[in-house]
Amino acid sequence: MGSESQAPKLPVLDFTKGNLKPGTESWLSACKNVRKALEEYGCFIVENKMKNRYEKPLNGYVGQIPKLPLHESMGIDNATSLEGTQYFTNLMWPEGTAISAAEIDQMVSRMIFESYGVEKYHDAYIGSTTYLLRLLKNRVPKEGEPNLAFVTRTDKSFANILHQNQIDGLEAWGNDRVLSPSPQVIMRGNVDRYSLGLFAFNDGIIEVPKELVDEEHPLRY
């Protein structure tokens, strides 16, 4: 299994760079990054903090400064108004609603389809997709209890979007290696862990596009 310090970290993708619309340079770059992350790890982390931007310089996110590598900060402009705080909330936590999270799933799936050159099948795929939203809690173990909150498993859904509170406990497994943050939940510390999970399921039968089948990549089932 290896130690946590030796475990490779999941790739972090930023979907806020440039004009992220189909056909643009930033979209094509994001498609490549999503495909690479899923082929190598099976999952990735969406970076939110870079969304914290305002017209006024230094009013939003400040960090990743070469001379100040230890510093990061977030800003809420017009913080004493309802509009200012609501804007920040909607900006940073759009996955707070199932609809917004579903839009992220559909955008990522389209990127994957396009990166493999089979985008013409994407609309049919989305048309067969339904979503299950689960609210998850894993409490702190009592004295003498094991710290395993949920067993190692492979989810049967086609894709998952998970949002954890500040108490990380999820581990993921990909390509025969442990990643950092295995499909199990380990509780550490003395704080309960809460999560939101949006699971995408597909009705009917999913067939491998003929464009992806050749002698080097034959059908396996």
Side-chain angles (χ1 to χ4, degrees), residues 27 31 34-35 38 105-126 128-129 158 202 206-207 209 211-212:
W27 173 270
C31 289
V34 166
R35 175 176 173 175
L38 294 181
D105 173 74
Q106 293 170 15
M107 180 183 70
V108 170
S109 65
R110 179 170 180 174
M111 289 179 174
I112 297 170
F113 276 65
E114 286 192 15
S115 70
Y116 285 106
V118 292
E119 58 270 20
K120 66 181 180 180
Y121 300 109
H122 185 254
D123 288 345
Y125 163 78
I126 291 299
S128 68
T129 301
F158 190 82
N202 297 91
I206 296 180
E207 298 182 4
E211 293 87 345
L212 302 181

Side-chain angles (χ1 to χ4, degrees), residues 10-194:
L10 294 177
V12 178
L13 304 185
D14 181 5
F15 289 156
T16 65
K17 293 181 179 179
N19 182 23
L20 202 60
K21 293 183 179 180
T24 63
E25 184 177 345
S26 57
W27 173 270
L28 296 177
S29 176
C31 289
K32 293 179 181 179
N33 292 334
V34 166
R35 175 176 173 175
K36 181 179 180 181
L38 294 181
E39 287 181 342
E40 294 186 4
Y41 296 92
C43 53
F44 57 85
I45 297 173
V46 177
E47 182 63 278
N48 276 340
K49 61 188 177 184
M50 301 300 291
K51 295 180 182 179
N52 182 214
R53 299 174 180 172
Y54 296 97
E55 293 183 1
K56 301 175 185 177
L58 303 180
N59 271 31
Y61 172 77
V62 176
Q64 302 182 5
I65 303 173
K67 293 184 179 181
L68 301 170
L70 304 183
H71 175 78
E72 283 188 304
S73 63
M74 304 284 281
I76 303 178
D77 197 18
N78 199 19
T80 57
S81 70
L82 176 62
E83 293 79 7
T85 55
Q86 190 67 54
Y87 172 80
F88 179 82
T89 300
N90 293 336
L91 187 70
M92 300 308 298
W93 294 285
E95 67 276 12
T97 67
I99 294 176
S100 297
E103 291 173 349
I104 294 174
D105 173 74
Q106 293 170 15
M107 180 183 70
V108 170
S109 65
R110 179 170 180 174
M111 289 179 174
I112 297 170
F113 276 65
E114 286 192 15
S115 70
Y116 285 106
V118 292
E119 58 270 20
K120 66 181 180 180
Y121 300 109
H122 185 254
D123 288 345
Y125 163 78
I126 291 299
S128 68
T129 301
T130 58
Y131 294 97
L132 170 67
L133 179 66
R134 297 190 66 86
L135 308 179
L136 313 170
K137 174 188 176 181
N138 295 290
R139 65 169 176 81
V140 175
K142 298 178 181 179
E143 186 175 354
E145 288 184 323
N147 65 349
L148 178 63
F150 210 82
V151 297
T152 300
R153 70 204 181 278
T154 299
D155 289 332
K156 299 303 185 289
S157 49
F158 190 82
N160 303 336
I161 295 179
L162 298 175
H163 177 70
Q164 304 182 86
N165 65 347
Q166 66 272 22
I167 310 301
D168 292 334
L170 177 67
E171 295 180 343
W173 179 275
N175 290 347
D176 299 325
R177 55 181 170 175
V178 177
L179 306 179
S180 177
S182 70
Q184 61 183 2
V185 179
I186 302 296
M187 297 300 297
R188 301 180 179 90
N190 57 358
V191 180
D192 294 341
R193 175 181 174 272
Y194 295 89

